[in-house]
Amino acid sequence: MDVKTLLTQNEEKMDKTIEALKRDLASIRTGRASTTLLDRISVDYYGTPTPVKQVANVSAPEPRLITIVPWERKMLGDIERAILKSDLGLNPNNDGTMIRLEIPQLTEERRKELSKKVSKDAEDSKVVIRNIRRDANDAIKKMEKKKEITEDDSKEAQENIQKLTDKKIKLIDEIKAKKEKEVMEV
C-alpha cells in the first residue's frame, strides 16, 4: 500500500465517523419538532425490525408537533409502543388513523443534560478520529522501517495525517457548537 492510498482510506474513515456523529446528534431532541427524532426507532414489520419512516409517513406540520400516518392501520399500535419504549420521553396520541407527538418545551435542566450528551458524543468522535490518526502514523512508521518509503516521505505523510486530523476535529467542534446552540435555544 502506498502513502496516498493510506491517506485516502483514513480520510474516508474520519468522514464516516463525522457522519455517524451527525446521525446521533440529529436524534437528540431539541425544543422544536424534527422528523429525525424518529430515526433510531424501529417497529416489528412482518418479523423484521424496520425504521418507522419505512412503514409510515412522518411529518412535522407545526413547530411542536410530529404526525405519523402508517401505511397499514394495524401498525399504529406497534409504532405507539416503540415510541413509548424509546428514550425520547414523548407520549404518543393515537386517534385511530394517525399518531401525534407533541414536543413539550424543554426544561433548563433537560437542556443542560442534552448539551452534556452532545459534548460527550462529540468528544467520543474526536477520540475515534485520533485513534485513526494513531493507526495511520503506525502504518507509516512501519512502511519507513521496511524501507518502502523514505524518512522525508514518512515525515510528510505524518504531517498530512495531522493536518487532516486537525481539520476533522475542527469540523466536529463546529457541529457540536451548532447542536448545543440548538439545544439551549428556548
Side-chain angles (χ1 to χ4, degrees):
M1 178 190 331
D2 66 335
V3 174
K4 198 169 191 167
T5 308
L6 183 75
L7 289 171
T8 305
Q9 286 177 346
N10 284 290
E11 184 168 16
E12 287 172 9
K13 287 179 188 175
M14 289 179 182
D15 288 340
K16 286 179 184 174
T17 301
I18 290 173
E19 287 307 308
L21 173 67
K22 286 179 181 177
R23 267 194 316 277
D24 288 348
L25 293 183
S27 66
I28 292 178
R29 185 160 73 95
T30 59
R32 73 177 86 90
S34 170
T35 59
T36 57
L37 285 175
L38 303 174
D39 284 353
R40 291 186 299 165
I41 297 177
S42 296
V43 293
D44 186 46
Y45 187 66
Y46 295 107
T48 308
T50 310
V52 170
K53 288 183 174 183
Q54 292 181 11
V55 296
N57 185 15
V58 180
S59 62
E62 296 173 24
R64 307 187 55 70
L65 180 73
I66 296 175
T67 59
I68 305 165
V69 182
W71 295 314
E72 295 177 31
R73 212 180 226 165
K74 68 179 178 126
M75 293 301 298
L76 273 169
D78 292 341
I79 294 171
E80 188 175 12
R81 278 189 293 282
I83 292 168
L84 286 169
K85 274 196 269 179
S86 73
D87 61 353
L88 290 177
L90 297 175
N91 290 322
N93 182 353
N94 181 349
D95 69 3
T97 56
M98 77 163 58
I99 294 174
R100 288 182 179 82
L101 288 175
E102 288 188 37
I103 310 297
Q105 194 75 10
L106 292 174
T107 64
E108 189 66 28
E109 185 180 323
R110 182 71 175 138
R111 284 179 208 284
K112 287 178 182 170
E113 283 176 28
L114 291 174
S115 183
K116 284 180 187 172
K117 180 168 176 18
V118 168
S119 294
K120 183 189 176 306
D121 288 353
E123 192 54 45
D124 290 347
S125 294
K126 287 183 191 179
V127 168
V128 172
I129 298 281
R130 290 184 193 113
N131 287 340
I132 293 169
R133 175 192 60 195
R134 186 197 60 225
D135 294 344
N137 283 339
D138 289 349
I140 291 167
K141 288 173 187 169
K142 281 181 188 168
M143 291 166 80
E144 181 186 350
K145 207 173 203 176
K146 291 180 184 174
K147 303 283 188 222
E148 293 174 11
I149 60 173
T150 64
E151 190 178 328
D152 289 344
D153 289 342
S154 172
K155 283 206 185 323
E156 184 183 340
Q158 288 180 44
E159 285 172 12
N160 288 339
I161 285 284
Q162 185 59 48
K163 286 177 189 169
L164 182 64
T165 302
D166 293 343
K167 186 173 116 183
K168 299 302 179 182
I169 285 183
K170 185 173 184 256
L171 180 60
I172 288 172
D173 285 335
E174 290 167 6
I175 292 167
K176 173 186 153 209
K178 183 179 176 212
K179 187 64 179 187
E180 281 180 336
K181 182 176 181 270
E182 205 177 288
V183 166
M184 296 309 282
E185 197 174 280
V186 178

PDB file of all heavy atoms in Angstrom, residues 33-57:
ATOM      1  N   ALA A  33     -39.997  20.433  16.768  1.00  0.00           N
ATOM      2  CA  ALA A  33     -40.246  19.118  16.167  1.00  0.00           C
ATOM      3  C   ALA A  33     -39.329  18.889  14.970  1.00  0.00           C
ATOM      4  O   ALA A  33     -39.137  19.769  14.146  1.00  0.00           O
ATOM      5  CB  ALA A  33     -41.701  19.025  15.722  1.00  0.00           C
ATOM      6  N   SER A  34     -38.776  17.688  14.905  1.00  0.00           N
ATOM      7  CA  SER A  34     -37.951  17.281  13.776  1.00  0.00           C
ATOM      8  C   SER A  34     -38.194  15.806  13.544  1.00  0.00           C
ATOM      9  O   SER A  34     -38.149  15.007  14.487  1.00  0.00           O
ATOM     10  CB  SER A  34     -36.482  17.543  14.086  1.00  0.00           C
ATOM     11  OG  SER A  34     -35.678  16.952  13.102  1.00  0.00           O
ATOM     12  N   THR A  35     -38.429  15.431  12.303  1.00  0.00           N
ATOM     13  CA  THR A  35     -38.708  14.025  11.999  1.00  0.00           C
ATOM     14  C   THR A  35     -37.491  13.139  12.251  1.00  0.00           C
ATOM     15  O   THR A  35     -37.634  11.933  12.385  1.00  0.00           O
ATOM     16  CB  THR A  35     -39.183  13.860  10.544  1.00  0.00           C
ATOM     17  OG1 THR A  35     -38.181  14.348   9.665  1.00  0.00           O
ATOM     18  CG2 THR A  35     -40.491  14.609  10.314  1.00  0.00           C
ATOM     19  N   THR A  36     -36.306  13.726  12.340  1.00  0.00           N
ATOM     20  CA  THR A  36     -35.100  12.925  12.606  1.00  0.00           C
ATOM     21  C   THR A  36     -35.107  12.323  14.011  1.00  0.00           C
ATOM     22  O   THR A  36     -34.331  11.418  14.284  1.00  0.00           O
ATOM     23  CB  THR A  36     -33.813  13.760  12.426  1.00  0.00           C
ATOM     24  OG1 THR A  36     -33.878  14.896  13.282  1.00  0.00           O
ATOM     25  CG2 THR A  36     -33.623  14.194  10.988  1.00  0.00           C
ATOM     26  N   LEU A  37     -35.989  12.821  14.889  1.00  0.00           N
ATOM     27  CA  LEU A  37     -36.099  12.235  16.229  1.00  0.00           C
ATOM     28  C   LEU A  37     -36.443  10.752  16.158  1.00  0.00           C
ATOM     29  O   LEU A  37     -36.064   9.970  17.021  1.00  0.00           O
ATOM     30  CB  LEU A  37     -37.211  12.938  17.027  1.00  0.00           C
ATOM     31  CG  LEU A  37     -36.930  14.325  17.564  1.00  0.00           C
ATOM     32  CD1 LEU A  37     -38.185  14.896  18.205  1.00  0.00           C
ATOM     33  CD2 LEU A  37     -35.809  14.291  18.552  1.00  0.00           C
ATOM     34  N   LEU A  38     -37.164  10.377  15.114  1.00  0.00           N
ATOM     35  CA  LEU A  38     -37.644   9.001  14.996  1.00  0.00           C
ATOM     36  C   LEU A  38     -36.692   8.091  14.234  1.00  0.00           C
ATOM     37  O   LEU A  38     -37.006   6.927  14.007  1.00  0.00           O
ATOM     38  CB  LEU A  38     -39.024   9.001  14.324  1.00  0.00           C
ATOM     39  CG  LEU A  38     -40.100   9.834  15.033  1.00  0.00           C
ATOM     40  CD1 LEU A  38     -41.369   9.883  14.215  1.00  0.00           C
ATOM     41  CD2 LEU A  38     -40.377   9.289  16.412  1.00  0.00           C
ATOM     42  N   ASP A  39     -35.534   8.597  13.825  1.00  0.00           N
ATOM     43  CA  ASP A  39     -34.602   7.810  13.007  1.00  0.00           C
ATOM     44  C   ASP A  39     -34.157   6.515  13.678  1.00  0.00           C
ATOM     45  O   ASP A  39     -33.958   5.511  13.008  1.00  0.00           O
ATOM     46  CB  ASP A  39     -33.369   8.639  12.631  1.00  0.00           C
ATOM     47  CG  ASP A  39     -33.665   9.640  11.527  1.00  0.00           C
ATOM     48  OD1 ASP A  39     -34.776   9.597  10.965  1.00  0.00           O
ATOM     49  OD2 ASP A  39     -32.779  10.461  11.230  1.00  0.00           O
ATOM     50  N   ARG A  40     -33.973   6.528  14.991  1.00  0.00           N
ATOM     51  CA  ARG A  40     -33.466   5.338  15.681  1.00  0.00           C
ATOM     52  C   ARG A  40     -34.575   4.394  16.137  1.00  0.00           C
ATOM     53  O   ARG A  40     -34.295   3.346  16.695  1.00  0.00           O
ATOM     54  CB  ARG A  40     -32.638   5.744  16.892  1.00  0.00           C
ATOM     55  CG  ARG A  40     -31.326   6.414  16.525  1.00  0.00           C
ATOM     56  CD  ARG A  40     -30.488   6.675  17.734  1.00  0.00           C
ATOM     57  NE  ARG A  40     -31.202   7.578  18.630  1.00  0.00           N
ATOM     58  CZ  ARG A  40     -30.871   7.787  19.896  1.00  0.00           C
ATOM     59  NH1 ARG A  40     -29.858   7.175  20.409  1.00  0.00           N
ATOM     60  NH2 ARG A  40     -31.552   8.622  20.641  1.00  0.00           N
ATOM     61  N   ILE A  41     -35.832   4.776  15.928  1.00  0.00           N
ATOM     62  CA  ILE A  41     -36.937   3.948  16.407  1.00  0.00           C
ATOM     63  C   ILE A  41     -37.365   2.959  15.327  1.00  0.00           C
ATOM     64  O   ILE A  41     -37.648   3.350  14.196  1.00  0.00           O
ATOM     65  CB  ILE A  41     -38.127   4.828  16.847  1.00  0.00           C
ATOM     66  CG1 ILE A  41     -37.694   5.704  18.021  1.00  0.00           C
ATOM     67  CG2 ILE A  41     -39.323   3.971  17.221  1.00  0.00           C
ATOM     68  CD1 ILE A  41     -38.741   6.652  18.507  1.00  0.00           C
ATOM     69  N   SER A  42     -37.388   1.691  15.702  1.00  0.00           N
ATOM     70  CA  SER A  42     -37.786   0.634  14.769  1.00  0.00           C
ATOM     71  C   SER A  42     -39.020  -0.077  15.297  1.00  0.00           C
ATOM     72  O   SER A  42     -39.236  -0.162  16.503  1.00  0.00           O
ATOM     73  CB  SER A  42     -36.667  -0.390  14.605  1.00  0.00           C
ATOM     74  OG  SER A  42     -35.545   0.205  14.017  1.00  0.00           O
ATOM     75  N   VAL A  43     -39.832  -0.596  14.370  1.00  0.00           N
ATOM     76  CA  VAL A  43     -41.002  -1.401  14.732  1.00  0.00           C
ATOM     77  C   VAL A  43     -40.874  -2.755  14.056  1.00  0.00           C
ATOM     78  O   VAL A  43     -40.174  -2.908  13.058  1.00  0.00           O
ATOM     79  CB  VAL A  43     -42.324  -0.723  14.307  1.00  0.00           C
ATOM     80  CG1 VAL A  43     -42.573   0.536  15.094  1.00  0.00           C
ATOM     81  CG2 VAL A  43     -42.352  -0.433  12.829  1.00  0.00           C
ATOM     82  N   ASP A  44     -41.580  -3.744  14.615  1.00  0.00           N
ATOM     83  CA  ASP A  44     -41.565  -5.083  14.036  1.00  0.00           C
ATOM     84  C   ASP A  44     -42.535  -5.097  12.855  1.00  0.00           C
ATOM     85  O   ASP A  44     -43.739  -4.936  13.024  1.00  0.00           O
ATOM     86  CB  ASP A  44     -41.984  -6.106  15.092  1.00  0.00           C
ATOM     87  CG  ASP A  44     -41.837  -7.521  14.583  1.00  0.00           C
ATOM     88  OD1 ASP A  44     -40.787  -7.821  14.003  1.00  0.00           O
ATOM     89  OD2 ASP A  44     -42.781  -8.309  14.759  1.00  0.00           O
ATOM     90  N   TYR A  45     -42.002  -5.247  11.650  1.00  0.00           N
ATOM     91  CA  TYR A  45     -42.827  -5.261  10.439  1.00  0.00           C
ATOM     92  C   TYR A  45     -42.659  -6.616   9.778  1.00  0.00           C
ATOM     93  O   TYR A  45     -41.635  -6.890   9.159  1.00  0.00           O
ATOM     94  CB  TYR A  45     -42.393  -4.119   9.512  1.00  0.00           C
ATOM     95  CG  TYR A  45     -43.283  -3.918   8.313  1.00  0.00           C
ATOM     96  CD1 TYR A  45     -44.598  -3.487   8.477  1.00  0.00           C
ATOM     97  CD2 TYR A  45     -42.818  -4.157   7.027  1.00  0.00           C
ATOM     98  CE1 TYR A  45     -45.408  -3.294   7.387  1.00  0.00           C
ATOM     99  CE2 TYR A  45     -43.624  -3.960   5.933  1.00  0.00           C
ATOM    100  CZ  TYR A  45     -44.931  -3.532   6.114  1.00  0.00           C
ATOM    101  OH  TYR A  45     -45.745  -3.339   5.037  1.00  0.00           O
ATOM    102  N   TYR A  46     -43.656  -7.485   9.960  1.00  0.00           N
ATOM    103  CA  TYR A  46     -43.617  -8.856   9.445  1.00  0.00           C
ATOM    104  C   TYR A  46     -42.330  -9.578   9.873  1.00  0.00           C
ATOM    105  O   TYR A  46     -41.644 -10.188   9.072  1.00  0.00           O
ATOM    106  CB  TYR A  46     -43.772  -8.883   7.919  1.00  0.00           C
ATOM    107  CG  TYR A  46     -45.121  -8.392   7.470  1.00  0.00           C
ATOM    108  CD1 TYR A  46     -45.257  -7.149   6.873  1.00  0.00           C
ATOM    109  CD2 TYR A  46     -46.257  -9.167   7.657  1.00  0.00           C
ATOM    110  CE1 TYR A  46     -46.503  -6.690   6.476  1.00  0.00           C
ATOM    111  CE2 TYR A  46     -47.502  -8.707   7.256  1.00  0.00           C
ATOM    112  CZ  TYR A  46     -47.625  -7.470   6.665  1.00  0.00           C
ATOM    113  OH  TYR A  46     -48.857  -7.021   6.274  1.00  0.00           O
ATOM    114  N   GLY A  47     -41.990  -9.429  11.159  1.00  0.00           N
ATOM    115  CA  GLY A  47     -40.850 -10.146  11.709  1.00  0.00           C
ATOM    116  C   GLY A  47     -39.505  -9.473  11.523  1.00  0.00           C
ATOM    117  O   GLY A  47     -38.484 -10.007  11.930  1.00  0.00           O
ATOM    118  N   THR A  48     -39.488  -8.296  10.908  1.00  0.00           N
ATOM    119  CA  THR A  48     -38.224  -7.603  10.665  1.00  0.00           C
ATOM    120  C   THR A  48     -38.239  -6.244  11.355  1.00  0.00           C
ATOM    121  O   THR A  48     -39.184  -5.472  11.161  1.00  0.00           O
ATOM    122  CB  THR A  48     -38.021  -7.377   9.151  1.00  0.00           C
ATOM    123  OG1 THR A  48     -38.179  -8.615   8.480  1.00  0.00           O
ATOM    124  CG2 THR A  48     -36.655  -6.796   8.856  1.00  0.00           C
ATOM    125  N   PRO A  49     -37.208  -5.917  12.147  1.00  0.00           N
ATOM    126  CA  PRO A  49     -37.157  -4.573  12.729  1.00  0.00           C
ATOM    127  C   PRO A  49     -36.969  -3.544  11.601  1.00  0.00           C
ATOM    128  O   PRO A  49     -36.012  -3.618  10.845  1.00  0.00           O
ATOM    129  CB  PRO A  49     -35.944  -4.600  13.642  1.00  0.00           C
ATOM    130  CG  PRO A  49     -35.446  -6.000  13.653  1.00  0.00           C
ATOM    131  CD  PRO A  49     -36.102  -6.748  12.558  1.00  0.00           C
ATOM    132  N   THR A  50     -37.916  -2.638  11.490  1.00  0.00           N
ATOM    133  CA  THR A  50     -37.932  -1.674  10.392  1.00  0.00           C
ATOM    134  C   THR A  50     -38.076  -0.258  10.949  1.00  0.00           C
ATOM    135  O   THR A  50     -38.901  -0.029  11.843  1.00  0.00           O
ATOM    136  CB  THR A  50     -39.131  -1.981   9.461  1.00  0.00           C
ATOM    137  OG1 THR A  50     -39.110  -3.367   9.129  1.00  0.00           O
ATOM    138  CG2 THR A  50     -39.086  -1.164   8.195  1.00  0.00           C
ATOM    139  N   PRO A  51     -37.291   0.702  10.440  1.00  0.00           N
ATOM    140  CA  PRO A  51     -37.439   2.092  10.899  1.00  0.00           C
ATOM    141  C   PRO A  51     -38.860   2.612  10.641  1.00  0.00           C
ATOM    142  O   PRO A  51     -39.478   2.273   9.645  1.00  0.00           O
ATOM    143  CB  PRO A  51     -36.426   2.866  10.053  1.00  0.00           C
ATOM    144  CG  PRO A  51     -35.445   1.835   9.601  1.00  0.00           C
ATOM    145  CD  PRO A  51     -36.212   0.561   9.471  1.00  0.00           C
ATOM    146  N   VAL A  52     -39.354   3.439  11.574  1.00  0.00           N
ATOM    147  CA  VAL A  52     -40.710   3.981  11.471  1.00  0.00           C
ATOM    148  C   VAL A  52     -40.924   4.674  10.127  1.00  0.00           C
ATOM    149  O   VAL A  52     -41.982   4.536   9.505  1.00  0.00           O
ATOM    150  CB  VAL A  52     -40.995   4.962  12.634  1.00  0.00           C
ATOM    151  CG1 VAL A  52     -42.286   5.717  12.420  1.00  0.00           C
ATOM    152  CG2 VAL A  52     -41.053   4.200  13.950  1.00  0.00           C
ATOM    153  N   LYS A  53     -39.907   5.377   9.656  1.00  0.00           N
ATOM    154  CA  LYS A  53     -40.048   6.128   8.405  1.00  0.00           C
ATOM    155  C   LYS A  53     -40.291   5.225   7.194  1.00  0.00           C
ATOM    156  O   LYS A  53     -40.714   5.691   6.157  1.00  0.00           O
ATOM    157  CB  LYS A  53     -38.816   6.995   8.149  1.00  0.00           C
ATOM    158  CG  LYS A  53     -38.730   8.173   9.084  1.00  0.00           C
ATOM    159  CD  LYS A  53     -37.551   9.041   8.746  1.00  0.00           C
ATOM    160  CE  LYS A  53     -37.563  10.290   9.587  1.00  0.00           C
ATOM    161  NZ  LYS A  53     -36.481  11.187   9.254  1.00  0.00           N
ATOM    162  N   GLN A  54     -39.999   3.910   7.332  1.00  0.00           N
ATOM    163  CA  GLN A  54     -40.214   2.990   6.220  1.00  0.00           C
ATOM    164  C   GLN A  54     -41.573   2.315   6.263  1.00  0.00           C
ATOM    165  O   GLN A  54     -41.922   1.579   5.351  1.00  0.00           O
ATOM    166  CB  GLN A  54     -39.096   1.946   6.181  1.00  0.00           C
ATOM    167  CG  GLN A  54     -37.757   2.550   5.822  1.00  0.00           C
ATOM    168  CD  GLN A  54     -36.667   1.498   5.764  1.00  0.00           C
ATOM    169  OE1 GLN A  54     -36.910   0.310   5.783  1.00  0.00           O
ATOM    170  NE2 GLN A  54     -35.424   1.970   5.688  1.00  0.00           N
ATOM    171  N   VAL A  55     -42.342   2.570   7.332  1.00  0.00           N
ATOM    172  CA  VAL A  55     -43.683   1.979   7.410  1.00  0.00           C
ATOM    173  C   VAL A  55     -44.768   3.043   7.562  1.00  0.00           C
ATOM    174  O   VAL A  55     -45.945   2.712   7.656  1.00  0.00           O
ATOM    175  CB  VAL A  55     -43.796   0.961   8.568  1.00  0.00           C
ATOM    176  CG1 VAL A  55     -42.884  -0.222   8.338  1.00  0.00           C
ATOM    177  CG2 VAL A  55     -43.558   1.602   9.903  1.00  0.00           C
ATOM    178  N   ALA A  56     -44.368   4.309   7.580  1.00  0.00           N
ATOM    179  CA  ALA A  56     -45.336   5.376   7.798  1.00  0.00           C
ATOM    180  C   ALA A  56     -44.843   6.682   7.187  1.00  0.00           C
ATOM    181  O   ALA A  56     -43.660   6.866   6.934  1.00  0.00           O
ATOM    182  CB  ALA A  56     -45.559   5.575   9.294  1.00  0.00           C
ATOM    183  N   ASN A  57     -45.801   7.574   6.977  1.00  0.00           N
ATOM    184  CA  ASN A  57     -45.477   8.921   6.520  1.00  0.00           C
ATOM    185  C   ASN A  57     -45.271   9.771   7.777  1.00  0.00           C
ATOM    186  O   ASN A  57     -46.194   9.932   8.570  1.00  0.00           O
ATOM    187  CB  ASN A  57     -46.631   9.462   5.667  1.00  0.00           C
ATOM    188  CG  ASN A  57     -46.319  10.793   5.056  1.00  0.00           C
ATOM    189  OD1 ASN A  57     -45.162  11.202   5.020  1.00  0.00           O
ATOM    190  ND2 ASN A  57     -47.335  11.483   4.590  1.00  0.00           N
TER     191      ASN A  57
END
